[in-house]
Amino acid sequence: MRAGSLAFAAGIIATAETLRAPLGWDGVAALAAAALLWPLLAPRGWRWPAALLLGAAWAAGSAEALTAQRLPPTPTPVAAVIEARIAAIPEEDGRAVELEVVPRRLVAGDLRRLPGPRVRLRWYGDTPELRAGQVWRLPVRLRAPDGYLNPAGFDYQRWLFAHRFGATGYVRDGEAARLLDSRRGVDTLRQRIAEGMAQALPESPRLGLIQGLGVAVRHRIDEAQWRTLRETGTAHLLAISGLHIGMVAAAFGAAVSVLWRRIPPLVRRVPALLAGTLAGVAAAAAYAALAGLTLPTQRALVTVLVFAGALLARRSLSPWHSLAVAAAAVLLLDPWAALGAGFWLSFGAVAVILAATLGRPPQRGPAAWLRVQAVVGLGLLPVTALWFGELPWLSPLANLLAVPWVSAAVVPPVLLGVALLPASEVLAGGLWAAADTSLGGLMAVLRFLAGHLGALEAVPPPAYLAAAALLGVGCLIAPRGFPGRPLALPLLAALGLGAASPGGDDGRVVVFDTGAGLAAVIAADGRAVVYGAGPGGSLGAVRVAVGPYLEARRLELVAWVVPRGADPWAGAVAAARERWPQAEWVRGSACAGWRRRLGGLELRGTRRDDDCRLQVASSRGGAPVRLRPELGRGAPAWTVGAVGCDGGEAGCSAALRAGADYATADTGALTLDWEGGAPRLVSEYERRGRVYHRRRGWRPWLSAASSQ
């Protein structure tokens, strides 16, 4: 069963990570049929590939169902009136309220069908009291779930798909919205508890952390707090995690078991161990529900259920077996859980602990605890570097302090306050205030550690370096006498060497997908020059493209070339100058004759009318790449410019003429290099496009470019 569980999980993960397009229901049926026929044809002991095929079929079928429910791409948002239920606690970000709704009925509009399973909406301006469970009739504008596809930065399309959003949009007329019904549920209770915490701690900067620990409401946690937690490797503690679910299950199970033994009639009917186990399962399920059944709580709850099931069935189950079954069960419920870092961090931490402790003489005391924390901290470094671009080398030390602190002095008063809220808001508020005070001391210590020692920034390692680091983790947790143990730290140190060395691209031009015009980076030898910024004063280029790319590859920005000397480029450039004041700013008359050498690239600026143009040539030869504010019809090959910007940002995109026309709005970012002499073009969709990266299928830029 363990091999089958692992194979099933591996089939789902492999499909989720590599599927580029839906297979169609015929392909899903073929995979399922192969899984069913395999046990009849395979020799005994080789039946696990059936589980592998079944996992692949399950993930492919889920992808087929989700893509079928998504709103198809359209040039402009589609207006409609829908009836929808608010499915999660609304989140405020200062300018709007974020809503997750489940559409129930199409009242009016041009939609052929309702998108689903969920829709993500923003409600701007003054909003009524919005609560989970309410049913509203909403006038909305909807678009296909979309996002920027760039070499660095947040992959919004991946996130939307993993969270099952079939469309995004906004409420277009809040005054015309009508509340139809209001139903109570778990999310209603969670919202009430979160509001009670806000009333008890109105001035606390740690309110978001308390709400996160109590009911997994995290939108009030600010960026500085998240940065402190990431740099110290303690983010897993200050959100409802498997550790907390296990604490609740163990505490309630032990308490019920002790009380049960004191009542002989109950013991004669049901053993105390069984009663305690069932009580622990019930408590864990209740706490997981309050947490919104996030991935870490799912993993922990499923693990508790696996152990409880083995106990009820009178079967012994090894920890490894339970972990494999838990992973398979989580992926059965949500095949796309593996697209998030939480899956790998949750199961990776447990796997490292099991590998480092099982089959060895039991150890107790501070030394044993320190060893476990150090092993977990080091063991998760490859995953952390891959997902977050950081190496929180302080994690073992910080967790040695934070784990007992949070477990003993923060979580208990938070949970006790949640339990007592129906009886006394005063008592609940006092307990939450005590937890807040304790948490304030911990955050002060963590800020000190992060400020004076911090984390190492790391370029996301290539596959071979990540594999070497994982091999180092295996050597680290191997038993004594294993011949490869001395290689553990050198293999892990490769990540640190990568973090310490300057990043960069050796001679390439990246044209970003920003949704608002032209932004390009010319990079070589650890340095970079930016051309463009986006029309209309848009700051999107800085936030979603240029900034993440420079940070991820640790490039030094030496110059920023502004395509036009006046509006509409001034807003974005002004914001960029505040962020990179050390860069040389080239605009207007300074563009004529401007030159810069980056490694093997020669950059030369020219001025035409009020426009600044840039030519990039490689010492390897081949055609140069020309960057202009606009891409006209007569532009030569290997020319980059913005198209469709006459009406402002709507439909505006960066485009490239290279034999055929390409637009970032259709293909994601475009990367050009001179490998082999001639320019070579690779789109981001071609490089890493998956089933959740939707091609738009419409090209508003094409007619605009051909008419210029």
Side-chain angles (χ1 to χ4, degrees), residues 298-689:
Q298 288 181 31
R299 190 265 303 164
L301 180 59
V302 168
T303 304
V304 171
L305 291 174
V306 168
F307 276 111
L311 180 64
L312 292 173
R314 300 295 196 271
R315 293 186 57 182
S316 61
L317 202 62
S318 71
W320 283 114
H321 198 170
S322 66
L323 184 65
V325 173
V330 167
L331 292 172
L332 177 66
L333 295 173
D334 182 7
W336 307 100
L339 295 183
F343 177 87
W344 300 101
L345 292 173
S346 295
F347 284 96
V350 177
V352 169
I353 292 173
L354 294 181
T357 57
L358 292 182
R360 305 182 189 189
Q363 298 179 356
R364 302 183 184 277
W369 178 259
L370 178 60
R371 177 180 178 274
V372 170
Q373 292 302 319
V375 168
V376 171
L378 292 173
L380 293 181
L381 283 180
V383 178
T384 306
L386 282 169
W387 280 97
F388 304 112
E390 290 180 340
L391 294 177
W393 64 283
L394 283 173
S395 177
L397 174 61
N399 278 280
L400 180 66
L401 172 69
V403 168
W405 193 322
V406 171
S407 301
V410 180
V411 172
V414 168
L415 295 186
L416 192 55
V418 171
L420 292 177
L421 180 61
S424 172
E425 294 183 359
V426 175
L427 286 177
L431 288 166
W432 291 330
D436 179 66
T437 302
S438 176
L439 189 56
L442 175 61
M443 291 300 295
V445 174
L446 294 181
R447 281 195 301 270
F448 175 83
L449 293 175
H452 289 78
L453 300 175
L456 294 175
E457 294 183 1
V459 178
Y464 72 90
L465 191 56
L470 290 174
L471 180 60
V473 172
C475 295
L476 179 70
I477 60 181
R480 291 183 179 179
F482 182 75
R485 286 197 75 185
L487 297 176
L489 292 181
L491 288 171
L492 282 171
L495 294 175
L497 293 175
S501 61
D505 297 304
D506 185 16
R508 65 176 52 183
V509 177
V510 181
V511 185
F512 293 106
D513 175 20
T514 68
L518 174 63
V521 164
I522 304 97
D525 197 26
R527 297 177 296 157
V529 171
V530 174
Y531 180 87
S538 171
L539 307 184
V542 174
R543 186 181 69 255
V544 306
V546 175
Y549 188 82
L550 297 181
E551 292 174 0
R553 284 156 177 78
R554 302 181 62 238
L555 295 168
E556 177 191 2
L557 180 62
V558 295
W560 188 301
V561 180
V562 182
R564 290 177 172 170
D567 288 339
W569 305 89
V573 170
R577 292 191 70 169
E578 293 182 6
R579 183 165 179 176
W580 295 287
Q582 77 286 352
E584 177 186 4
W585 296 87
V586 182
R587 62 189 306 174
S589 59
C591 183
W594 179 82
R595 292 177 179 270
R596 169 78 69 165
R597 176 172 290 277
L598 295 180
L601 300 182
E602 180 72 29
L603 283 63
R604 181 167 61 88
T606 58
R607 187 183 182 193
R608 181 174 179 178
D609 298 329
D610 201 29
D611 294 345
C612 184
R613 302 185 176 189
L614 193 63
Q615 178 173 291
V616 183
S618 172
S619 60
R620 298 182 179 182
V625 174
R626 302 173 177 86
L627 296 98
R628 302 178 178 178
E630 298 179 1
L631 181 64
R633 183 172 57 181
W638 304 107
T639 300
V640 176
V643 294
C645 300
D646 294 340
E649 295 185 17
C652 189
S653 175
L656 166 70
R657 178 150 296 152
D661 289 335
Y662 303 87
T664 58
D666 188 51
T667 64
L670 300 169
T671 300
L672 303 98
D673 61 33
W674 284 264
E675 186 174 323
R680 184 186 65 164
L681 171 66
V682 178
S683 73
E684 201 63 18
Y685 185 91
E686 177 185 357
R687 188 176 72 87
R688 62 183 182 95

Side-chain angles (χ1 to χ4, degrees), residues 78-82 106-112 172:
V78 179
V81 179
I82 63 172
L106 177 63
V107 178
D110 300 329
L111 295 175
R112 295 183 179 179
R172 58 186 171 92

Side-chain angles (χ1 to χ4, degrees), residues 113-186:
R113 54 176 173 76
L114 281 174
R118 295 192 173 196
V119 172
R120 186 173 176 86
L121 296 175
R122 292 178 68 85
W123 194 328
Y124 294 93
D126 295 332
T127 60
E129 184 181 7
L130 299 171
R131 307 190 70 83
Q134 291 177 338
V135 178
W136 285 83
R137 178 176 294 172
L138 299 171
V140 296
R141 290 191 183 275
L142 302 177
R143 64 170 67 247
D146 202 0
Y148 308 118
L149 187 57
N150 288 311
F154 182 61
D155 192 339
Y156 190 46
Q157 296 182 61
R158 179 185 177 111
W159 185 89
L160 289 172
F161 191 84
H163 288 78
R164 301 172 182 268
F165 287 108
T168 61
Y170 60 92
V171 178
R172 58 186 171 92
D173 185 2
E175 295 183 356
R178 294 291 180 268
L179 176 63
L180 303 179
D181 192 9
S182 184
R183 300 182 179 181
R184 296 181 180 274
V186 174

Side-chain angles (χ1 to χ4, degrees), residues 254-299:
V256 170
S257 181
V258 169
L259 292 175
W260 202 269
R261 287 190 178 94
R262 296 181 180 275
I263 307 176
L266 295 179
V267 176
R268 285 193 292 268
R269 290 177 178 271
V270 178
L273 179 61
L274 180 58
T277 301
L278 293 177
V281 168
Y287 190 27
L290 283 179
L293 287 175
T294 58
L295 178 62
T297 57
Q298 288 181 31
R299 190 265 303 164

